[in-house]
Amino acid sequence: MPELPEVETVRRALASEVCGKRVTSVRGESVALRRPLEVEALAAILPGRRFLEPRRRGKFLLLDTAPTGSLLVHLGMSGVVQIVPAAAPLRAHTHVILELDDGRELRFVDPRRFGMAVWLEPGDEADDSSLGALGMEPLDPRLSQTLPPLIRNRRAPIKSLILDQHLIAGIGNIYAAEALWRAGIHPRRAGNRISVARLATLATTIQEVLTEAIAEGGTTLRDFATPDGNSGYFAVSLQVYGRQGEPCQRCGATIRGEAIGGRTTAWCPRCQR
DNA sequence: CCAGTATCCTGCAGGC
DNA sequence: TGCCTGCAGGATACTG
């Protein structure tokens, strides 16, 4: 479900809703998520801690607390963080519930269980296997300089390369397709067959599409919602993602769709080369 | 090291 | 209507 703009939308909502709140208790059921969810361990650590301003790294959320430590959250494909009154009905696949001192609860819901919620001690963050391997933040102003050399010596399709979180952290299937359409680059084009100038253009379109999507609160296709239950509105701005068979908004050609690297990909066969 | 594929899991849309 | 198949916003283990 969530890519950088959706995760950033969640981060901002949590910044205003749970910043300063204290955890009073933890309940749930340990299940096999991407990393095992250990409710008992969280119940031993979190009560009494206060949430600080949350951070985002790529598609990861870091819910920092005082005393120092962080709950590392990834939403996977179907993860949702809810902030709801304690009396709110329980959604299916709610795995862990943090009761807060304002009468509300922070709930982690994840039907497909590709997400995670694990505790990080202050020292754990630097050498965490996921966080440590992440590439640059795509909104970094130096992206147009740093991206080309990472791509120019690779033969894989550019679409697969910009989805690789070790190179750039935060782009997913929707925004990869959108950024490539804006840049006029064919998603199957090999990285080493794209000029530095065109890669700099791609860096710019990546930043534009992510920034616009954040401003719209992300993209809601099926079930993405902010912690207070709202939808994102960027779906109406999508130019190619999910538009296979429809006309390109730029040139009128029919948008194509095929799997690249196992992920469905849409592009315009006329204006993407 | 790199590129490509399989896999984890549930829900839901579409075809028959 | 019900059953079956395939696909879904992701990350990673594995294969050649």
Side-chain angles (χ1 to χ4, degrees), chain A residues 4 40 56 75 95 182 225 246:
Chain A
L4 186 153
E40 311 239 323
R56 179 191 57 72
L75 300 177
H95 301 307
R182 290 184 184 210
E246 297 175 33

Side-chain angles (χ1 to χ4, degrees), chain A residues 2-3 18 20 45 48 53 74 137 163 177 204 242:
Chain A
E3 307 182 30
V18 304
I45 291 166
E53 170 98 7
H74 195 291
E137 281 293 321
L163 281 179
T204 303

Side-chain angles (χ1 to χ4, degrees), chain A residues 6-173:
Chain A
E6 292 73 42
V7 177
E8 177 61 19
T9 298
V10 172
R11 191 199 68 77
R12 292 180 183 187
L14 293 178
S16 65
E17 296 297 321
V18 304
C19 201
K21 302 296 187 291
R22 201 176 293 274
V23 179
T24 54
S25 69
V26 176
R27 64 186 204 277
E29 198 170 339
S30 296
V31 291
L33 303 181
R34 168 154 296 284
R35 291 191 208 172
L37 174 63
E38 295 172 343
V39 172
E40 311 239 323
L42 296 179
I45 291 166
L46 286 172
R49 288 179 190 261
R50 202 162 36 81
F51 281 114
L52 306 173
E53 170 98 7
R55 288 176 292 146
R56 179 191 57 72
R57 179 74 174 95
K59 301 175 193 172
F60 287 86
L61 277 172
L62 287 146
L63 308 189
D64 292 345
T65 70
T68 312
S70 308
L71 187 64
L72 176 65
V73 174
H74 195 291
L75 300 177
M77 291 278 261
S78 60
V80 172
V81 174
Q82 288 184 295
I83 303 289
V84 290
L90 204 61
R91 280 178 60 167
H93 307 290
T94 300
H95 301 307
V96 65
I97 298 170
L98 312 187
E99 293 179 8
L100 305 176
D101 61 0
D102 65 353
R104 294 188 297 174
E105 294 178 342
L106 188 159
R107 300 178 181 175
F108 179 69
V109 185
D110 185 11
R112 291 180 68 185
R113 298 196 229 140
F114 291 168
M116 64 160 110
V118 299
W119 178 252
L120 290 186
E121 290 294 337
D124 296 345
E125 192 181 320
D127 47 42
D128 180 83
S129 60
S130 301
L131 291 177
L134 290 179
M136 72 182 99
E137 281 293 321
L139 295 178
D140 188 308
R142 293 163 299 184
L143 187 72
S144 61
Q145 275 83 53
T146 46
L147 186 64
L150 294 176
I151 301 295
R152 290 278 293 166
N153 57 351
R154 301 286 296 266
R155 283 170 298 172
I158 185 63
K159 163 86 178 332
S160 302
L161 293 171
I162 62 175
L163 281 179
D164 184 343
Q165 305 298 300
H166 307 284
L167 300 180
I168 324 175
I171 299 172
N173 210 30

